[in-house]
Amino acid sequence: MSVCHHRAVDYPHDQAPGAPIRSGIPEHGRIPKYYAVKTHVAALIEELGEGGMLPTERDLALRYEVSRETVRQALRELLLEGRLARQGRGTVVAGPKLEQPLSLASYTEGVRRQGRAPGRHLIGLERFPCPESLAAEIGVARGEPVWHLERVLLADDERVGLESTYVSVARVPDLAEKFDPDSSFYAYLHDRLGISFGDADERIETVLATPARRCSSVRRPRCPCC
């Protein structure tokens, strides 16, 4: 039988029973050191506010009397959760997460409801015969011409997602000439063409970016793979 050993510390003095930290502790009730550090840093995040610069790993290790590797583990989880962001050689408090509910409404409307400015950056618009694998998903015949519109989604000029739209050319024949790629596709269909949605299938995926997509999604204009 293998045994997992964790160095553990007591609950932070200000941690109330039932608070979020308890969801991450093992059954024996002791908190792994990195998780206690994560809780302390989470409290520090609240104090600093959005854009606040976090102390260095060395300073945090000295403050909480742990190794730098323990601090790194705590910061990695907070980075993955979107509560921190890398900025240059430092780490800052990230802004609030963008929430886009699954509904028959445009991305533009959803972002504006959260008090942020929506935007888009065109990657490409191409026309091609629909392959069999895609035809079944979008309800067209195999070989029927379709548009593929791919754009980076922005919120307050922050790149938050990559959008791929497939639509039959017969439905929107003048897409390349009359659609502004920086605008809402929903609004174009509704306001210009009089098309309304009764129902829809929307799919959100988390995938590893290909080199091309990584270049289109980075914040800086330069990309080492280009």
Side-chain angles (χ1 to χ4, degrees), residues 103-106 165-167 171 184-190 194-201:
S103 63
L104 288 177
S106 75
T165 302
Y166 297 91
V167 62
R171 175 76 72 169
S184 167
F185 186 62
Y186 269 70
Y188 172 76
L189 294 177
H190 184 271
I195 298 174
S196 298
F197 290 89
D199 57 74
D201 293 321

Side-chain angles (χ1 to χ4, degrees), residues 167-188:
V167 62
S168 167
V169 171
R171 175 76 72 169
V172 284
D174 300 323
L175 188 66
E177 293 79 23
K178 297 186 177 179
F179 174 63
D180 177 3
D182 293 332
S183 66
S184 167
F185 186 62
Y186 269 70
Y188 172 76

Side-chain angles (χ1 to χ4, degrees), residues 42-198:
L44 182 59
I45 287 172
E46 297 298 324
E47 296 176 14
L48 293 173
E50 181 179 350
M53 181 68 71
L54 210 66
T56 65
E57 290 180 0
R58 180 176 181 276
D59 290 341
L60 290 172
L62 290 173
R63 178 183 300 193
Y64 302 127
E65 299 181 342
V66 296
S67 69
R68 291 180 66 174
E69 181 54 39
T70 298
V71 171
R72 289 192 191 102
Q73 188 175 358
L75 297 184
R76 277 196 295 267
E77 290 202 359
L78 291 166
L79 284 162
L80 288 172
E81 292 171 7
R83 303 191 65 184
L84 294 174
R86 297 295 190 191
Q87 182 173 294
R89 299 184 65 181
T91 304
V92 299
V93 178
K97 292 182 180 179
L98 178 69
E99 297 181 0
Q100 177 69 2
L102 295 179
S103 63
L104 288 177
S106 75
Y107 170 78
T108 300
E109 295 170 359
V111 174
R112 283 176 177 164
R113 279 197 298 269
Q114 298 180 57
R116 304 179 70 176
R120 297 165 184 82
H121 171 69
L122 178 66
I123 296 175
L125 174 62
E126 58 180 342
R127 171 177 169 164
F128 57 84
C130 188
E132 185 175 0
S133 58
L134 179 62
E137 289 194 42
I138 64 175
V140 301
R142 177 186 176 185
E144 181 178 336
V146 294
W147 294 111
H148 177 212
L149 172 66
E150 191 165 43
R151 302 182 291 179
V152 173
L153 301 177
L154 309 173
D156 291 339
D157 292 326
E158 178 81 12
R159 301 183 184 215
V160 297
L162 186 65
E163 176 189 71
S164 284
T165 302
Y166 297 91
V167 62
S168 167
V169 171
R171 175 76 72 169
V172 284
D174 300 323
L175 188 66
E177 293 79 23
K178 297 186 177 179
F179 174 63
D180 177 3
D182 293 332
S183 66
S184 167
F185 186 62
Y186 269 70
Y188 172 76
L189 294 177
H190 184 271
D191 300 340
R192 296 285 297 274
L193 304 180
I195 298 174
S196 298
F197 290 89

Side-chain angles (χ1 to χ4, degrees), residues 35-47:
Y35 202 84
V37 172
K38 178 183 175 182
T39 304
H40 287 303
V41 175
L44 182 59
I45 287 172
E46 297 298 324
E47 296 176 14

